[in-house]
Amino acid sequence: MRSHLLETFSGDTAGTPYWVKNIEAGEDVGFFGPGSASWAVHGGMPTMVAGIRALLMQTLHPGAMAGVHDWSRYKEDPLGRLAGTIQWLITVTFGDTALAEYESSRVSHFHDRVKGTYLDAQGIERTYSAGDPELLYWVHVVFTDAFLGCHQAWGDDIPGGADQYVREWSKAGELVGVANPPRSEAELISAMHQFNVEGILKHDERVEETIAFLRKPPLRRSMLPFYRIMFAGAVASIPEEYRRILGLKKPWWPAQWLTGLILGLLRALLGPSSTSEDAARVRIARLEVEGKLAS
């Protein structure tokens, strides 16, 4: 089970994909570092549920949904797509500044070819590209909200609190081209709500199709019962305003409590820290010995 989990979430049965070695290299602490809110949130087990919540929320913008529908390989290689997203998130969190900037540039360059048309919530055909300011902003706020919300539901205290996490992670948004990302929890909540107020969010057959896929992805049969509980936990954690647009109901059974139980089990199976965080600590210890860090 431990091996299957590691392979699912990292793309490697040992839980140490090739790019983790890059995190161990480098010449500075990185944008965040030990004791940061970003290390606490992204190093915790609730990230496993946050990924599901973020993908569900992302579907509500028809432009973002069109990009996923037209260009993503999530149906053919869902675990590969998940591993690619994890690579960016973890590298920016735990890598040094040069590696974080390189990885963000790589992701932005990959998105250059993602473009097409979609019907907005009013039925008007619009063009899109993955680099559109509105789409970049939406993806950033829903990912930030998902990781923050899930950590608040199932994680430990965040150093500096929710505002500190949103402020720190705004840097990751800037690295991929997001203009003026939210820098406090209140700004984050307001930014998401504004998309709904302006009538941008939409429920259609593409949303239904993606929800159906996320509800029952092609995982190993032994993992599906655990995943289904985490999926239900992710749904339960989404604010009612957006759960209603998704057409999802809050589970009547204690999904959030059971999700917390599973996350505790996963922590026991996988250990208290990730290989990426361990690699970052090795890098920082080396830099301290070499006298390359300011005292």
Side-chain angles (χ1 to χ4, degrees):
M1 175 65 76
R2 185 178 191 277
S3 177
H4 292 170
L5 287 168
L6 289 168
E7 183 177 14
T8 297
F9 293 106
S10 71
D12 184 273
T13 53
T16 308
Y18 70 92
W19 44 266
V20 168
K21 282 295 182 183
N22 296 332
I23 293 175
E24 192 171 312
E27 297 303 317
D28 57 40
V29 171
F31 287 108
F32 310 112
S36 65
S38 296
W39 271 40
V41 172
H42 299 158
M45 289 300 163
T47 57
M48 296 187 179
V49 187
I52 302 170
R53 170 169 163 171
L55 291 174
L56 286 169
M57 288 293 296
Q58 185 180 335
T59 67
L60 291 179
H61 192 300
M65 188 68 261
V68 171
H69 181 273
D70 297 344
W71 292 93
S72 175
R73 56 191 172 91
Y74 78 92
K75 287 186 177 178
E76 294 77 17
D77 184 20
L79 301 186
R81 183 174 185 269
L82 174 61
T85 302
I86 289 173
Q87 179 178 341
W88 174 78
L89 174 80
I90 295 301
T91 299
V92 173
T93 302
F94 295 109
D96 75 335
T97 54
L99 183 60
E101 289 169 348
Y102 171 81
E103 185 64 22
S104 298
S105 175
R106 184 188 67 81
V107 169
S108 297
H109 180 70
F110 174 78
H111 286 163
D112 286 345
R113 65 188 177 91
V114 178
K115 55 186 66 177
T117 62
Y118 70 94
L119 294 178
D120 70 10
Q122 286 70 47
I124 300 171
E125 185 175 64
R126 299 186 182 276
T127 60
Y128 76 86
S129 72
D132 287 345
E134 182 179 291
L135 297 187
L136 287 173
Y137 197 82
W138 172 250
V139 172
H140 174 75
V141 297
V142 297
F143 268 75
T144 306
D145 170 75
F147 282 86
L148 174 60
C150 287
H151 195 87
Q152 288 173 323
W154 296 290
D156 299 326
D157 290 341
I158 301 172
D163 286 348
Q164 179 66 20
Y165 171 71
V166 177
R167 185 162 50 250
E168 285 182 10
W169 200 240
S170 67
K171 182 61 185 179
E174 291 172 344
L175 288 172
V176 292
V178 178
N180 194 29
R183 287 177 167 79
S184 70
E185 184 179 21
E187 287 183 11
L188 178 66
I189 293 170
S190 175
M192 290 184 57
H193 180 65
Q194 197 63 29
F195 277 91
N196 194 18
V197 169
E198 294 178 3
I200 295 172
L201 307 184
K202 175 186 178 183
H203 183 106
D204 60 14
E205 65 278 1
R206 287 182 173 180
V207 175
E208 289 286 343
E209 183 180 297
T210 306
I211 290 174
F213 181 85
L214 290 173
R215 191 188 298 274
K216 192 176 180 181
L219 298 174
R220 286 181 171 85
R221 186 175 299 179
S222 61
M223 292 182 63
L224 278 175
F226 300 97
Y227 176 84
R228 286 170 181 159
I229 291 173
M230 290 195 292
F231 177 87
V235 170
S237 75
I238 295 173
E240 174 63 25
E241 175 183 0
Y242 308 104
R243 196 165 58 235
R244 188 165 50 247
I245 307 172
L246 284 164
L248 295 171
K249 294 182 178 180
K250 188 173 184 178
W252 59 266
W253 45 280
Q256 288 182 279
W257 180 82
L258 286 171
T259 296
L261 200 64
I262 288 175
L263 294 178
L265 174 63
L266 291 177
R267 178 183 289 271
L269 284 170
L270 301 178
S273 63
S274 68
T275 55
S276 302
E277 181 177 340
D278 293 342
R281 291 188 182 278
V282 169
R283 180 184 77 251
I284 293 169
R286 171 177 56 80
L287 293 173
E288 289 175 342
V289 170
E290 294 173 354
K292 294 183 178 180
L293 298 182
S295 57

Short mmCIF file of all heavy atoms in Angstrom, two decimals, residues 219-247:
data_model
loop_
_atom_site.label_atom_id
_atom_site.label_comp_id
_atom_site.label_asym_id
_atom_site.label_seq_id
_atom_site.Cartn_x
_atom_site.Cartn_y
_atom_site.Cartn_z
N LEU A 219 -7.63 4.27 -10.58
CA LEU A 219 -6.65 3.90 -9.57
C LEU A 219 -6.71 2.40 -9.30
O LEU A 219 -7.65 1.73 -9.71
CB LEU A 219 -6.92 4.67 -8.27
CG LEU A 219 -6.82 6.19 -8.33
CD1 LEU A 219 -7.28 6.78 -7.00
CD2 LEU A 219 -5.41 6.64 -8.66
N ARG A 220 -5.73 1.91 -8.58
CA ARG A 220 -5.76 0.50 -8.18
C ARG A 220 -7.00 0.24 -7.32
O ARG A 220 -7.39 1.08 -6.51
CB ARG A 220 -4.49 0.15 -7.38
CG ARG A 220 -3.24 0.02 -8.25
CD ARG A 220 -2.05 -0.36 -7.38
NE ARG A 220 -0.89 -0.69 -8.19
CZ ARG A 220 -0.03 0.20 -8.65
NH1 ARG A 220 -0.21 1.48 -8.38
NH2 ARG A 220 1.01 -0.18 -9.38
N ARG A 221 -7.57 -0.93 -7.50
CA ARG A 221 -8.80 -1.26 -6.79
C ARG A 221 -8.62 -1.15 -5.27
O ARG A 221 -9.53 -0.73 -4.55
CB ARG A 221 -9.26 -2.67 -7.17
CG ARG A 221 -10.60 -3.06 -6.59
CD ARG A 221 -11.05 -4.42 -7.11
NE ARG A 221 -11.21 -4.41 -8.56
CZ ARG A 221 -11.58 -5.47 -9.26
NH1 ARG A 221 -11.79 -6.63 -8.65
NH2 ARG A 221 -11.72 -5.39 -10.57
N SER A 222 -7.45 -1.50 -4.79
CA SER A 222 -7.21 -1.45 -3.35
C SER A 222 -7.21 -0.03 -2.80
O SER A 222 -7.44 0.19 -1.61
CB SER A 222 -5.86 -2.11 -3.02
OG SER A 222 -4.79 -1.43 -3.67
N MET A 223 -6.95 0.96 -3.68
CA MET A 223 -6.89 2.34 -3.23
C MET A 223 -8.22 3.07 -3.35
O MET A 223 -8.42 4.11 -2.72
CB MET A 223 -5.83 3.10 -4.05
CG MET A 223 -4.41 2.64 -3.77
SD MET A 223 -3.23 3.61 -4.73
CE MET A 223 -3.51 5.24 -4.06
N LEU A 224 -9.14 2.55 -4.17
CA LEU A 224 -10.37 3.26 -4.45
C LEU A 224 -11.22 3.58 -3.22
O LEU A 224 -11.75 4.69 -3.11
CB LEU A 224 -11.20 2.49 -5.48
CG LEU A 224 -10.80 2.70 -6.94
CD1 LEU A 224 -11.60 1.79 -7.86
CD2 LEU A 224 -10.98 4.16 -7.35
N PRO A 225 -11.38 2.66 -2.25
CA PRO A 225 -12.18 3.01 -1.07
C PRO A 225 -11.61 4.22 -0.32
O PRO A 225 -12.38 5.08 0.14
CB PRO A 225 -12.12 1.74 -0.21
CG PRO A 225 -11.85 0.64 -1.18
CD PRO A 225 -10.95 1.25 -2.21
N PHE A 226 -10.29 4.31 -0.22
CA PHE A 226 -9.67 5.45 0.46
C PHE A 226 -9.86 6.72 -0.36
O PHE A 226 -10.16 7.78 0.17
CB PHE A 226 -8.17 5.18 0.67
CG PHE A 226 -7.89 3.97 1.50
CD1 PHE A 226 -7.58 2.75 0.91
CD2 PHE A 226 -7.94 4.03 2.89
CE1 PHE A 226 -7.33 1.63 1.67
CE2 PHE A 226 -7.68 2.92 3.67
CZ PHE A 226 -7.37 1.71 3.05
N TYR A 227 -9.68 6.59 -1.68
CA TYR A 227 -9.84 7.75 -2.55
C TYR A 227 -11.27 8.29 -2.50
O TYR A 227 -11.48 9.51 -2.46
CB TYR A 227 -9.48 7.40 -4.00
CG TYR A 227 -9.73 8.56 -4.93
CD1 TYR A 227 -8.78 9.57 -5.10
CD2 TYR A 227 -10.93 8.66 -5.62
CE1 TYR A 227 -9.03 10.65 -5.93
CE2 TYR A 227 -11.19 9.75 -6.45
CZ TYR A 227 -10.24 10.73 -6.61
OH TYR A 227 -10.50 11.81 -7.41
N ARG A 228 -12.25 7.39 -2.51
CA ARG A 228 -13.65 7.83 -2.51
C ARG A 228 -13.98 8.63 -1.26
O ARG A 228 -14.74 9.60 -1.30
CB ARG A 228 -14.57 6.62 -2.64
CG ARG A 228 -14.58 6.03 -4.05
CD ARG A 228 -15.28 4.70 -4.12
NE ARG A 228 -15.24 4.15 -5.47
CZ ARG A 228 -15.41 2.88 -5.77
NH1 ARG A 228 -15.62 1.99 -4.81
NH2 ARG A 228 -15.36 2.46 -7.03
N ILE A 229 -13.41 8.23 -0.14
CA ILE A 229 -13.62 8.99 1.09
C ILE A 229 -12.96 10.36 0.97
O ILE A 229 -13.56 11.39 1.34
CB ILE A 229 -13.09 8.22 2.31
CG1 ILE A 229 -13.95 6.98 2.58
CG2 ILE A 229 -13.06 9.11 3.55
CD1 ILE A 229 -13.41 6.06 3.65
N MET A 230 -11.74 10.41 0.42
CA MET A 230 -11.06 11.70 0.27
C MET A 230 -11.79 12.58 -0.74
O MET A 230 -11.84 13.81 -0.58
CB MET A 230 -9.60 11.49 -0.13
CG MET A 230 -8.75 10.91 0.98
SD MET A 230 -6.95 11.05 0.69
CE MET A 230 -6.74 9.94 -0.70
N PHE A 231 -12.34 11.99 -1.79
CA PHE A 231 -13.14 12.77 -2.74
C PHE A 231 -14.33 13.40 -2.02
O PHE A 231 -14.63 14.58 -2.19
CB PHE A 231 -13.62 11.88 -3.89
CG PHE A 231 -14.50 12.59 -4.87
CD1 PHE A 231 -13.95 13.28 -5.95
CD2 PHE A 231 -15.88 12.59 -4.73
CE1 PHE A 231 -14.76 13.96 -6.85
CE2 PHE A 231 -16.70 13.26 -5.62
CZ PHE A 231 -16.14 13.95 -6.70
N ALA A 232 -15.03 12.59 -1.22
CA ALA A 232 -16.17 13.11 -0.47
C ALA A 232 -15.73 14.19 0.52
O ALA A 232 -16.43 15.20 0.70
CB ALA A 232 -16.86 11.97 0.28
N GLY A 233 -14.56 14.00 1.13
CA GLY A 233 -14.03 15.02 2.03
C GLY A 233 -13.74 16.31 1.30
O GLY A 233 -14.02 17.41 1.80
N ALA A 234 -13.18 16.21 0.08
CA ALA A 234 -12.91 17.39 -0.73
C ALA A 234 -14.20 18.12 -1.06
O ALA A 234 -14.28 19.36 -0.95
CB ALA A 234 -12.18 16.99 -2.01
N VAL A 235 -15.23 17.38 -1.44
CA VAL A 235 -16.54 17.99 -1.75
C VAL A 235 -17.10 18.70 -0.52
O VAL A 235 -17.59 19.82 -0.60
CB VAL A 235 -17.52 16.92 -2.27
CG1 VAL A 235 -18.94 17.48 -2.37
CG2 VAL A 235 -17.07 16.39 -3.62
N ALA A 236 -17.02 18.02 0.62
CA ALA A 236 -17.56 18.60 1.86
C ALA A 236 -16.83 19.88 2.25
O ALA A 236 -17.42 20.77 2.88
CB ALA A 236 -17.46 17.57 2.98
N SER A 237 -15.55 19.98 1.89
CA SER A 237 -14.76 21.15 2.29
C SER A 237 -15.00 22.36 1.40
O SER A 237 -14.62 23.48 1.76
CB SER A 237 -13.27 20.79 2.27
OG SER A 237 -12.78 20.72 0.93
N ILE A 238 -15.62 22.18 0.24
CA ILE A 238 -15.86 23.30 -0.69
C ILE A 238 -16.99 24.16 -0.15
O ILE A 238 -18.05 23.64 0.25
CB ILE A 238 -16.21 22.77 -2.09
CG1 ILE A 238 -15.02 22.03 -2.70
CG2 ILE A 238 -16.67 23.90 -3.01
CD1 ILE A 238 -15.32 21.34 -4.02
N PRO A 239 -16.83 25.48 -0.13
CA PRO A 239 -17.92 26.36 0.33
C PRO A 239 -19.20 26.12 -0.47
O PRO A 239 -19.16 25.85 -1.67
CB PRO A 239 -17.36 27.77 0.08
CG PRO A 239 -15.88 27.60 0.16
CD PRO A 239 -15.61 26.24 -0.44
N GLU A 240 -20.33 26.23 0.20
CA GLU A 240 -21.63 25.95 -0.41
C GLU A 240 -21.86 26.74 -1.69
O GLU A 240 -22.47 26.24 -2.64
CB GLU A 240 -22.73 26.27 0.61
CG GLU A 240 -24.15 26.16 0.08
CD GLU A 240 -24.53 24.75 -0.36
OE1 GLU A 240 -23.92 23.80 0.15
OE2 GLU A 240 -25.42 24.61 -1.21
N GLU A 241 -21.38 27.97 -1.75
CA GLU A 241 -21.55 28.82 -2.92
C GLU A 241 -21.08 28.13 -4.21
O GLU A 241 -21.74 28.23 -5.26
CB GLU A 241 -20.77 30.13 -2.72
CG GLU A 241 -20.76 31.06 -3.90
CD GLU A 241 -19.91 32.31 -3.64
OE1 GLU A 241 -19.34 32.42 -2.52
OE2 GLU A 241 -19.82 33.15 -4.55
N TYR A 242 -19.97 27.45 -4.12
CA TYR A 242 -19.39 26.80 -5.30
C TYR A 242 -19.85 25.35 -5.43
O TYR A 242 -19.96 24.84 -6.55
CB TYR A 242 -17.86 26.89 -5.23
CG TYR A 242 -17.40 28.29 -4.99
CD1 TYR A 242 -16.94 28.69 -3.72
CD2 TYR A 242 -17.47 29.26 -5.98
CE1 TYR A 242 -16.56 29.99 -3.48
CE2 TYR A 242 -17.09 30.57 -5.74
CZ TYR A 242 -16.63 30.93 -4.49
OH TYR A 242 -16.27 32.22 -4.25
N ARG A 243 -20.12 24.72 -4.32
CA ARG A 243 -20.62 23.34 -4.36
C ARG A 243 -21.98 23.31 -5.08
O ARG A 243 -22.26 22.37 -5.84
CB ARG A 243 -20.75 22.79 -2.94
CG ARG A 243 -20.88 21.28 -2.88
CD ARG A 243 -20.64 20.73 -1.49
NE ARG A 243 -21.54 21.29 -0.52
CZ ARG A 243 -21.16 21.89 0.61
NH1 ARG A 243 -19.88 22.02 0.90
NH2 ARG A 243 -22.05 22.39 1.44
N ARG A 244 -22.76 24.37 -4.89
CA ARG A 244 -24.06 24.45 -5.55
C ARG A 244 -23.91 24.56 -7.06
O ARG A 244 -24.64 23.92 -7.82
CB ARG A 244 -24.83 25.67 -5.00
CG ARG A 244 -26.27 25.75 -5.47
CD ARG A 244 -27.08 26.73 -4.63
NE ARG A 244 -26.42 28.02 -4.52
CZ ARG A 244 -25.91 28.53 -3.39
NH1 ARG A 244 -25.97 27.82 -2.28
NH2 ARG A 244 -25.35 29.72 -3.38
N ILE A 245 -22.94 25.35 -7.52
CA ILE A 245 -22.71 25.48 -8.97
C ILE A 245 -22.20 24.17 -9.54
O ILE A 245 -22.55 23.77 -10.66
CB ILE A 245 -21.71 26.61 -9.28
CG1 ILE A 245 -22.14 27.92 -8.62
CG2 ILE A 245 -21.59 26.83 -10.79
CD1 ILE A 245 -21.10 29.02 -8.73
N LEU A 246 -21.37 23.47 -8.80
CA LEU A 246 -20.85 22.17 -9.24
C LEU A 246 -21.95 21.11 -9.30
O LEU A 246 -21.79 20.09 -9.97
CB LEU A 246 -19.75 21.70 -8.29
CG LEU A 246 -18.39 22.37 -8.43
CD1 LEU A 246 -17.53 22.09 -7.20
CD2 LEU A 246 -17.67 21.91 -9.69
N GLY A 247 -23.05 21.36 -8.61
CA GLY A 247 -24.12 20.38 -8.57
C GLY A 247 -23.82 19.23 -7.63
O GLY A 247 -24.34 18.12 -7.80
#
